[in-house]
């Protein structure tokens, strides 16, 4: 466990601003979060390790305790800290009614209704490709490439649609918190950047679908409009987000 935590190859905090799509991530060997997850999975699947989850948690607490005490703060002080006073403004409520969060929610609904109403259209595309192949209009390679593009576009849209809502809500909620440290201001700026990147990638994926499904242009345009609106709002509300450099990922 300590060996994992002390790996010098790790990029500090990379997992704070990533899209959590580890299967597609080029930084798994530099990510403490990924290493910890693998370690936990190994413990759960291998009874021979002799290590248990409660032991992992105990070790983690010990390590945090050591880090805190190394900074000159007593562990007892941290444990006995009183709850902060309830703020005048409730950041959760403010976030829920913020235009960015509402627009993100609307995008999620649009995405859901698009999938629900268009369930058969992928099947239809398969039949269309088959007919075009039979007529010699397209080659097997072209059909395979088009299907791969469509599949990838769906995966991207699907992955980011929930992330967009979760990350922008998180950024907005922190924005309304009082007395935030510089680190936390950076943290929510980084979350806003991650949301912007998720929107950029989603827009690119929807455009791929628009090329392959010209008959759906009206619905896809409505969705693109929603994403563009959200992208502009976030850029206005978090003016430093685009400039934020995510450790490892943007360097
Ligand atoms: S940085 Fe990469 S490996 Fe680490 S949690 Fe994020 S996506 Fe997964």
């Amino acid at each position: 466990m300590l060996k994992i935590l002390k790996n010098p190859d790790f990029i500090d905090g990379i997992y704070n601003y990533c899209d959590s799509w580890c299967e597609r991530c080029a930084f798994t060997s530099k990510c403490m979060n990924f290493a910890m997850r693998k370690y936990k999975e190994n413990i759960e699947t291998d009874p021979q390790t002799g290590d248990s989850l409660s032991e992992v948690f105990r070790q983690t607490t010990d390590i945090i305790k050591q880090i805190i005490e190394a900074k000159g703060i007593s562990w007892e002080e941290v444990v006995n800290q009183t709850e902060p006073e309830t703020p005048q403004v409730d950041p959760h409520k403010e976030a829920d009614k913020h235009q960015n969060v509402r627009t993100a929610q609307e995008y999620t609904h649009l995405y859901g209704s698009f999938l629900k109403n268009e369930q058969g259209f992928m099947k239809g595309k398969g039949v269309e490709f088959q007919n075009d192949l039979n007529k010699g209009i397209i080659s097997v390679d072209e059909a395979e490439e088009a299907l791969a593009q469509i599949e990838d576009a769906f995966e991207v849209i699907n992955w980011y649609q929930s992330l967009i809502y979760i990350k922008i809500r998180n950024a907005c909620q922190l924005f309304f918190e009082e007395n935030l440290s510089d680190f936390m201001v950076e943290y929510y700026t980084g979350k806003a950047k991650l949301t912007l990147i998720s929107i950029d990638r989603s827009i690119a994926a929807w455009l791929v679908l628009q090329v392959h499904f010209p008959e759906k242009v009206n619905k896809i345009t409505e969705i693109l409009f929603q994403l563009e609106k959200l992208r502009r709002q976030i850029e206005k509300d978090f003016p430093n987000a685009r400039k934020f450099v995510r450790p490892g990922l943007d360097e």
Side-chain angles (χ1 to χ4, degrees), residues 100-114 153 156-165 198-199 201-203 205-206 220 222-228 230:
N100 291 332
V101 176
R102 292 192 168 198
T103 311
Q105 258 172 340
E106 283 163 24
Y107 168 61
T108 306
H109 290 146
L110 279 176
Y111 159 85
S113 74
F114 181 85
V156 168
I157 290 166
N158 192 36
W159 188 266
Y160 288 109
Q161 59 87 22
S162 56
L163 205 75
I164 288 171
Y165 168 75
S198 305
I199 294 171
R201 292 182 182 163
S202 301
I203 287 176
W206 280 110
I220 295 178
E222 189 188 353
I223 290 169
L224 285 169
F225 175 77
Q226 193 71 16
L227 281 174
E228 185 56 33
L230 182 57

Side-chain angles (χ1 to χ4, degrees), residues 43 51 61-62 67 94 98 114 178 180 216 222 243:
I43 288 172
D51 219 343
T61 309
D62 283 350
I67 294 169
E94 292 301 318
H98 196 278
F114 181 85
E178 289 173 5
L180 282 188
K216 308 289 172 206
E222 189 188 353
K243 286 178 265 168

Side-chain angles (χ1 to χ4, degrees), residues 214-240:
E215 68 281 13
K216 308 289 172 206
V217 66
N218 288 344
K219 288 189 177 175
I220 295 178
T221 303
E222 189 188 353
I223 290 169
L224 285 169
F225 175 77
Q226 193 71 16
L227 281 174
E228 185 56 33
K229 184 173 144 193
L230 182 57
R231 178 156 72 174
R232 285 176 190 222
Q233 281 171 194
I234 296 172
E235 283 174 343
K236 184 166 151 282
D237 292 338
F238 297 91
N240 294 323

Side-chain angles (χ1 to χ4, degrees), residues 61-232:
T61 309
D62 283 350
I63 291 160
I64 295 170
K65 198 171 165 185
Q66 282 171 30
I67 294 169
I68 286 174
E69 289 181 348
K71 287 182 189 288
I73 306 165
S74 98
W75 177 246
E76 282 65 32
E77 214 178 299
V78 174
V79 172
N80 296 326
Q81 252 178 9
T82 51
E83 285 289 311
E85 281 178 35
T86 311
Q88 296 281 317
V89 173
D90 181 337
H92 288 277
K93 284 188 183 154
E94 292 301 318
D96 283 336
K97 60 188 184 193
H98 196 278
Q99 61 168 356
N100 291 332
V101 176
R102 292 192 168 198
T103 311
Q105 258 172 340
E106 283 163 24
Y107 168 61
T108 306
H109 290 146
L110 279 176
Y111 159 85
S113 74
F114 181 85
L115 281 197
K116 197 171 155 208
N117 296 330
E118 309 293 342
Q119 276 173 355
F121 83 137
M122 263 310 284
K123 207 172 155 196
K125 199 70 190 171
V127 174
E128 187 188 315
F129 279 141
Q130 191 58 54
N131 288 337
D132 287 350
L133 272 171
N134 294 342
K135 289 179 195 161
I137 298 172
I138 53 169
S139 66
V140 173
D141 284 352
E142 283 167 339
E144 280 179 357
E145 195 189 330
L147 282 174
Q149 281 179 4
I150 294 168
E151 195 181 336
D152 182 68
F154 269 112
E155 278 184 17
V156 168
I157 290 166
N158 192 36
W159 188 266
Y160 288 109
Q161 59 87 22
S162 56
L163 205 75
I164 288 171
Y165 168 75
I166 292 167
K167 298 302 171 186
I168 197 56
R169 196 198 170 283
N170 190 204
C172 288
Q173 182 228 312
L174 287 169
F175 178 83
F176 287 109
E177 296 281 353
E178 289 173 5
N179 305 321
L180 282 188
S181 63
D182 289 349
F183 173 80
M184 290 309 289
V185 172
E186 286 227 327
Y187 184 78
Y188 76 60
T189 307
K191 295 289 182 196
K193 165 92 178 254
L194 173 57
T195 314
L196 287 171
I197 287 169
S198 305
I199 294 171
D200 295 343
R201 292 182 182 163
S202 301
I203 287 176
W206 280 110
L207 287 171
V208 169
L209 291 190
Q210 199 173 51
V211 168
H212 289 289
F213 300 93
E215 68 281 13
K216 308 289 172 206
V217 66
N218 288 344
K219 288 189 177 175
I220 295 178
T221 303
E222 189 188 353
I223 290 169
L224 285 169
F225 175 77
Q226 193 71 16
L227 281 174
E228 185 56 33
K229 184 173 144 193
L230 182 57
R231 178 156 72 174
R232 285 176 190 222

Side-chain angles (χ1 to χ4, degrees), residues 11 13-35 37 159 247 249:
I11 298 174
I14 186 172
Y15 43 80
N16 282 333
Y17 310 106
C18 71
D19 60 13
S20 307
W21 205 345
C22 301
E23 291 86 357
R24 290 196 175 194
C25 182
F27 294 93
T28 49
S29 63
K30 297 186 180 297
C31 175
M32 187 171 79
N33 199 341
F34 184 84
R37 205 177 319 147
W159 188 266
L249 301 161

